[in-house]
Every structure is written in C-alpha cells, then in structure tokens.
Amino acid sequence: MASEIPTHTLNDGNTLPAIGFGTYPLTGDDGIAAVTSAIENGYRLLDTAVNYENEAEVGEAIRRSGIARDEIQVTSKLPGRHHAYDDAVASVRGSLERLGLDYLDLHLIHWPNPRIGRYGEAWRALIDLREQGLVKSIGVSNFTAEHLERIIDDTGVTPAVNQIELHPYFPQSVMRDANEKYGIRTESWSPLGKRQAPFTEPPVADAAEAHGVAPGQVILRWQVQVGAVPIPKSATPERQRQNLDVFGFELTDAEVAAITALGRADGLLFGGDPDTHEEM
Ligand SMILES: NC(=O)c1ccc[n+]([C@@H]2O[C@H](COP(=O)([O-])OP(=O)(O)OC[C@H]3O[C@@H](n4cnc5c(N)ncnc54)[C@H](OP(=O)(O)O)[C@@H]3O)[C@@H](O)[C@H]2O)c1
C-alpha cells in the first residue's frame, strides 16, 4: 500500500483525503471488484453519483473490504432531475439506501442546470439534510463563480467542495481562484485528461523522467501541488496503486508552471460549459 494519504480540512471542519477514486463507469461484478481493489490499494475517498448507477456496487465493495465505515469517505451526487426540494430529500435517501449506508460523507449537486434554475432549491435541501446528519459535508460540481455566489448569497452557506473538470489541458486557473476566494476545496474530475491524457507532452514526460515516475503520477502530483483533489478512475489494480503513489516526490515550481501552460482555449474536453450543459 502507498504511504499515508494527507488530508485537507474543509470549510465546515471535516477533512477530505488529498486524492480519491473515481468510480464512473464501474458497474456490475467487475465494478464491485474494481472498487474493492481500490479500497485494498489504499483509497479512502470514493466518488459515485446517482447517474453512475453504481451506488449499490460501491456500497457492496465497502462491505467486502472489511474497512470500518468511518475510515472510508463516500461522495455521491444529486442529479438534475432531483433539484426540487422534496425530490432532493428523497434522492439523498435513495442514495443512502442503494449504498446501504446511514450517512454520506459528501453530497454534491452534480450540475447546476441554470436554464432550469432550481439549483438554489437543491442547495437548501442539502443544507437541511446536513443538519439532519444524513450528509456530513455538502458541495457542488460544475458550478461557475456566478452559481456559487447565488447560493452563498441566498443561504449564507458556502459549499465545502466544487468538483470541476480539471487537467493539464484545462487547468481552470480562474475557477480555482474563485473557489479559493470562498474557501471552497477544488476537486478535479477527469484529472488525468481521461482518454486524451497528455502523457507524451514534454513538460509531463520530462518531469516523469526527472523524478523516475510515470506520466500519470506527474499529472496527479501536479493536481496535488495546485491544491486540487484529483479523483482518478482506473479499473486496473496496478494503475490504481500507481495513481495513489504521488506523495513521495515533489515537482519544482517550474515543472508545475510548464504543465499548467499546457492549458488551451479548447481544453474543456468532456463535460461542456456549465452555463449551457444540462444533465438530468
Ligand atoms: N462531476 C462530474 O460532472 C464528473 C464528470 C466526469 C467524471 N467525474 C468523476 O471523475 C472520475 C475520474 O474522471 P474520468 O474517469 O473521466 O477520467 P480520468 O480519471 O482522468 O481517466 C480515466 C481513464 O484513464 C485511464 N487511466 C487511469 N490511470 C491511468 C494511468 N496511471 N495510466 C494510464 N491510463 C490511466 C483509465 O483506464 P483504466 O481504467 O483502464 O486504467 C481510464 O480510461 C470519474 O470516475 C467520476 O467519478 C465527475
């Protein structure tokens, strides 16, 4: 198992591991096996969502691992079709039922869906669910500064986390600054760049050679050093171990800057623009 994973303290006082495990699209028996392997390899933060249709598999993997519930953190996400207050409450209860858990460590609004315009209502539901103890920390995903400002102004409650698409081709400097301004921890989805990972780009390949690590480890270490929490997905036990093993070396400031400079205007690869993308 890799060395112990550092943690961040969130703005609500709870802690979050500095790296987690993405579970999309791990489903069925293979999905249970992959998540079980991730836990065995040392991951203590698991990222699922209602829309991944694998909450049951994640719950089963936790039970099979034999690791105590309070040593594993589970994140799930509220889908767009459940933004209405009562639907959001029922949705979180449904997530808990499928996971077989009595609380979630972190629950996020998956996408703001601003045209529909009910994310404020969803946020109020999450606040109440946190007060009831069903969710320890609450946050958002794919929120812009404007969406953040609106829910914070409306409720006085700041999300603990904003999970956004973030990788070397889309380093999200503006959103990282916006999150930081509010004391929100940035989490990175598609942290490696998924199928378009920049493994052979010179700043990544050169740093890998200099530090004697794999290109994927360089990218994940870059994530850690820019203050984001990456949640890489891998179905492969060897890659799971490798991706977690990023706390034994440090990139120089120049290496970090060179990787950040890979960002490009068309770097948003997968999720679309949060102002227009709709995910129900
Ligand atoms: N909030 C949102 O809207 C949102 C959107 C998308 C994703 N997410 C979350 O973010 C998680 C991660 O994002 P992602 O799965 O899109 O992308 P990713 O983690 O950047 O990339 C995953 C891909 O990279 C491969 N891979 C993993 N480690 C590798 C390594 N060391 N070397 C070479 N290839 C490697 C994996 O293949 P193998 O499995 O074959 O190793 C898989 O094809 C998801 O699982 C999900 O939990 C959230």
Side-chain angles (χ1 to χ4, degrees), residues 21 26 29-44 46 57-67 72 237 240:
F21 183 72
L26 302 170
D29 288 342
D30 289 350
I32 296 172
V35 179
T36 306
S37 153
I39 298 169
E40 281 168 357
N41 282 321
Y43 289 86
R44 291 296 177 266
L46 306 176
E57 285 89 333
V58 170
E60 181 58 25
I62 294 170
R63 282 184 291 283
R64 284 192 196 174
S65 77
I67 304 282
I72 295 188
Q240 293 174 352

Side-chain angles (χ1 to χ4, degrees), residues 21-26 46-49 52 54 77 108-111 140-142 163-167 188-195 197 199 214-217 220 230-240 242-243 270-271 277 279:
F21 183 72
T23 70
Y24 181 77
L26 302 170
L46 306 176
D47 184 85
T48 181
Y52 300 170
N54 68 358
K77 309 188 194 80
L108 310 177
I109 300 176
H110 204 149
W111 284 87
V140 296
S141 182
N142 302 300
Q163 184 183 113
I164 54 178
E165 178 180 340
L166 197 167
H167 44 74
S188 307
W189 64 256
S190 292
L192 293 164
K194 209 175 183 176
R195 279 178 296 277
F199 292 150
Q217 290 173 297
L220 295 170
I231 46 167
K233 170 262 172 186
S234 178
T236 317
E238 179 51 34
R239 285 177 176 173
Q240 293 174 352
Q242 191 181 71
N243 291 347
F270 309 113
H277 179 87
E279 180 144 316

Side-chain angles (χ1 to χ4, degrees), residues 203-204 207 211 222 225 250-261:
V204 173
H211 295 278
W222 168 82
Q225 287 186 224
E250 191 166 346
L251 301 174
T252 64
D253 290 349
E255 287 168 334
V256 170
I259 295 168
T260 305

Side-chain angles (χ1 to χ4, degrees), residues 183-222:
I184 297 169
R185 178 60 56 184
T186 298
E187 274 191 345
S188 307
W189 64 256
S190 292
L192 293 164
K194 209 175 183 176
R195 279 178 296 277
Q196 298 183 49
F199 292 150
T200 58
E201 294 279 4
V204 173
D206 292 352
E209 198 180 333
H211 295 278
V213 297
Q217 290 173 297
V218 167
I219 297 171
L220 295 170
R221 180 69 206 180
W222 168 82

Side-chain angles (χ1 to χ4, degrees), residues 157-177:
V157 179
T158 303
V161 163
N162 187 10
Q163 184 183 113
I164 54 178
E165 178 180 340
L166 197 167
H167 44 74
Y169 288 140
F170 199 62
Q172 290 269 26
S173 306
V174 171
M175 265 324 293
R176 278 192 280 118
D177 287 350

